[in-house]
Amino acid sequence: MKPFTTLTGIVAPLEALNVDTDQIIPKQFLKRIERTGYEDFLFFDWRFKSDGTPNPDFEMNAPRYAGASILLTKDNFGCGSSREHAPWALNDYGIRCILATSYADIFYNNCFNNGMLPIVLPVETIERLFKEVRASEGYKLTVDLPKQTITTPVGSAIAFELDPFKKECLLNGWDQIGLTLRHEDRIAAFEKAREAAH
Amino acid sequence: MAKNIYEKIWEAHVVHEEPGQDCILYIDRHYVHEVTSPQAFEGLRLAARKVRRPNLTFATMDHNIPTTDRSKPIEDPMSAQQVETLKANCAEFGIACFDMKDRRNGIVHVIGPELGLTQPGQTIVCGDSHTSTHGAFGALAFGIGTSEVEHVLATQTLLQKKSKTMEIRVDGVLPLGITAKDIILAIIGKIGTAGGTGYVIEYTGEAIRSLSMEGRMTVCNMSIEAGARAGLISPDEKTCEYLKDREYLRDQDHEALAKAWRAWASDPGCTYDRTVVLNAAGIEPQVTWGTSPGMVASITGKTPVLAQIADTNTRLAAEKALQYMDLAEGTPIQQIPINKMFFGSCTNGRIEDLRAAAKVVKGYKVSPKIEQALVVPGSHQVKMQAEKEGLDTVFKEAGFEWREAGCSMCLAMNADILQPGDRCASTSNRNFEGRQGKGGRTHLVSPAMAVAAAIKGHFVDIRGWKFNG
Ligand code: SF4
């Protein structure tokens, strides 16, 4: 997995509550058996009109948000199904970091397993960022994972919290399976003890 | 010290714990389906890893498969490829696979309990959010992503952090006509779609205890719709009775098993981080009006009036939902007409659901306004049982289509799909935009309410239904 340390990038706003994984990537794109190549399916029903052309009413489609690597959104982002295709699609599109007031649990974990950083911020901060992003074209944020700060273009720093273990894993790009397999002897001992008990 | 069921299961499954790290939790059952597994098997192959415990891993095909004639090949080449890929992966890694023609085939969350694979006290995972269903048996069951599927395949464990616990107690006796589906929709309406985030829920109280195992599965199934990591119910006599003589439990000492199972139940006097109380007497038949399961009203209610919603974000969300649903503010729920009906899914596709619906249907015909009314059993065994009881005839005579088992129009990955503008009464669990087909509008209801709506062409209060026979 690619480590995540710092990131400076364009911020794309997605003003909606409870954005579910069916919106992030609709089911017809879950039939593929590959792990990459999902960028064109992200927010498909919102991004594109029925004739396949981009929907000008979808805010993220505005040219000023092209190349965004940070997504700004609201409560309970990623609710619904467990499909890891949702973070895959975001990642393939170029989003590496998400800012929201809260996330659905499975989606949140899935992000870390793909080297992406979902950050939880208080509602006032999120509302302020929405205003700032819309007010100035080319608005960029800098996310510093080691320091756990987000810096705005005027230089003010916003601190964020993160589970220390998740942070370690991201910073080092650790493969979780590899981590667990270091304890294979314990897994084997656990299995043996259970068999003996039955 | 008195412990709740979550604490007991957690403690019994911790393989390794280190300060500052997630726990390594042992997994007893790993269910696999065709949509969320191909990349996990591919990952194993790339890293030259094996499946650690193929005998604890069980695969089925449910999401992509047609509900029409099974003797014909799957028409959609991509669906066919996914199904074939699962078959090949199971063969390569030595995993039991209940493929489309196997008599044990069905929706993963229906067959696990039906085969007796799901048991109290287990940890159960699947690359599917509705894995919470199995919590009805007093198992800690939750959905995981594909990377985690790979992790479980390789290690038979998962890295986990302990959740907080929430007790949701439903006191009192359920009024006539009120079902498990109405309970869980009312709960989500009360605590919100993120109300359970960070928690494992245990459902308790008289109304929950009175539910059958099928009803308990319906409640636990939709725990994820409240944002919870898992939802479970302490095992009791009903749990043990349901599991008796199930395929994977035959030839075992049932009494000894039952005794061990019951010991997992929460101790009297145990505590939770949060408790929410509902009174069963206050629950009415529920119908969702919006695009999230929390956007729900009683059958006697109306769609919201935007000016009455104080919170700006909630109001904007409601406005957007009403727009998508093409509903005016303040519309009485009973005046909402439908043109499609879907009966099925892992929420309400079980034999008891079919029985309840058939009772409503008996002696009636589907309204001429309805363009399609699908009845899709949750598993092949459910279908066989229903046919043995003659339920299929009741549905067919009334004008419903009787189909083969599968996920079907719950998420419309196969050919069963809504067209733009369709309005569907559905017994499934998600009413998200486009869930059942782009531009389709979904109203979640109980099985009885769904078929009653199909007969009348609009939602009706099942409590006033005239039953024939
Ligand atoms: S029936 Fe619906 S919710 Fe259940 S597993 Fe299938 S697609 Fe998921």
Side-chain angles (χ1 to χ4, degrees), chain B residues 33 62-63 107-109 128 130 221 344-347 406-408 410-411 428-430 435:
Chain B
H33 68 74
D62 49 8
H63 285 66
I107 304 173
V108 60
H109 312 308
D128 194 283
H130 292 102
N221 175 273
S345 86
C346 58
T347 316
C407 292
S408 178
C410 173
L411 94 163
S428 57
N429 45 42
R430 285 189 177 139
R435 169 80 177 179

Side-chain angles (χ1 to χ4, degrees), chain A residues 127-142:
Chain A
E127 297 292 347
R128 192 186 99 205
L129 288 174
F130 264 101
K131 279 198 194 111
E132 289 182 11
V133 165
R134 284 177 178 144
S136 55
E137 197 166 330
Y139 186 93
K140 282 187 180 174
L141 289 172
T142 296

Side-chain angles (χ1 to χ4, degrees), chain B residues 73-352:
Chain B
I74 302 180
E75 271 177 30
D76 176 358
M78 289 190 83
S79 294
Q81 182 196 32
Q82 223 169 35
V83 164
E84 283 311 313
T85 303
L86 178 59
K87 229 195 254 180
N89 282 331
C90 288
E92 179 183 342
F93 290 96
I95 295 167
C97 178
F98 310 135
D99 84 22
M100 236 165 69
K101 290 181 185 142
D102 193 301
R103 65 182 168 77
R104 292 164 296 189
N105 178 264
I107 304 173
V108 60
H109 312 308
V110 176
I111 67 168
E114 183 175 86
L115 294 171
L117 289 167
T118 295
Q119 296 161 26
Q122 289 176 333
T123 47
I124 303 176
V125 295
C126 173
D128 194 283
S129 57
H130 292 102
T131 308
S132 58
T133 312
H134 307 268
F137 290 81
L140 174 60
F142 52 90
I144 55 177
T146 297
S147 296
E148 292 172 311
V149 168
E150 187 180 334
H151 191 284
V152 179
L153 288 172
T155 69
Q156 202 56 37
T157 68
L158 251 192
L159 289 175
Q160 284 289 298
K161 212 172 218 52
K162 204 167 172 186
S163 301
K164 290 179 286 184
T165 53
M166 185 189 299
E167 177 190 27
I168 297 187
R169 200 171 75 224
V170 188
D171 288 331
V173 180
L174 270 188
L176 213 67
I178 306 304
T179 67
K181 185 65 160 288
D182 303 303
I183 299 183
I184 188 63
L185 283 172
I187 289 173
I188 298 165
K190 185 179 165 103
I191 70 170
T193 49
T197 306
Y199 289 93
V200 165
I201 296 174
E202 180 177 357
Y203 301 95
T204 66
E206 189 185 349
I208 299 290
R209 293 254 78 87
S210 74
L211 293 174
S212 65
M213 289 316 294
E214 274 94 347
R216 293 178 188 185
M217 284 189 255
T218 303
V219 170
C220 290
N221 175 273
M222 289 188 73
S223 303
I224 185 72
E225 258 55 67
R229 169 113 278 235
L232 36 67
I233 295 172
S234 281
D236 58 12
E237 282 314 312
K238 274 186 203 167
T239 320
C240 301
E241 204 41 49
Y242 177 100
L243 290 172
K244 200 172 173 182
D245 294 330
R246 297 274 163 186
E247 185 161 339
Y248 278 80
L249 288 164
R250 271 177 215 147
D251 315 321
Q252 295 198 42
D253 180 351
H254 179 75
E255 286 317 310
L257 282 176
K259 192 167 164 242
W261 288 338
R262 280 192 299 265
W264 291 104
S266 287
D267 297 331
C270 68
T271 55
Y272 304 86
D273 296 299
R274 191 181 158 197
T275 295
V276 173
V277 183
L278 272 83
N279 195 332
I283 303 177
E284 294 193 281
Q286 304 283 302
V287 183
T288 63
W289 54 264
T291 52
S292 132
M295 294 172 165
V296 65
S298 294
I299 183 70
T300 54
K302 293 178 175 159
T303 61
V305 174
L306 295 174
Q308 291 169 1
I309 304 176
D311 177 63
T312 317
N313 280 327
T314 313
R315 191 171 57 245
L316 287 173
E319 188 179 356
K320 205 168 145 245
L322 285 174
Q323 217 167 43
Y324 179 85
M325 296 295 288
D326 192 27
L327 290 171
E329 300 175 49
T331 308
I333 299 292
Q334 301 194 36
Q335 282 176 19
I336 300 175
I338 59 160
N339 70 328
K340 300 254 166 108
M341 189 225 62
F342 170 67
F343 178 106
S345 86
C346 58
T347 316
N348 279 127
R350 298 187 178 79
I351 188 68
E352 190 186 275

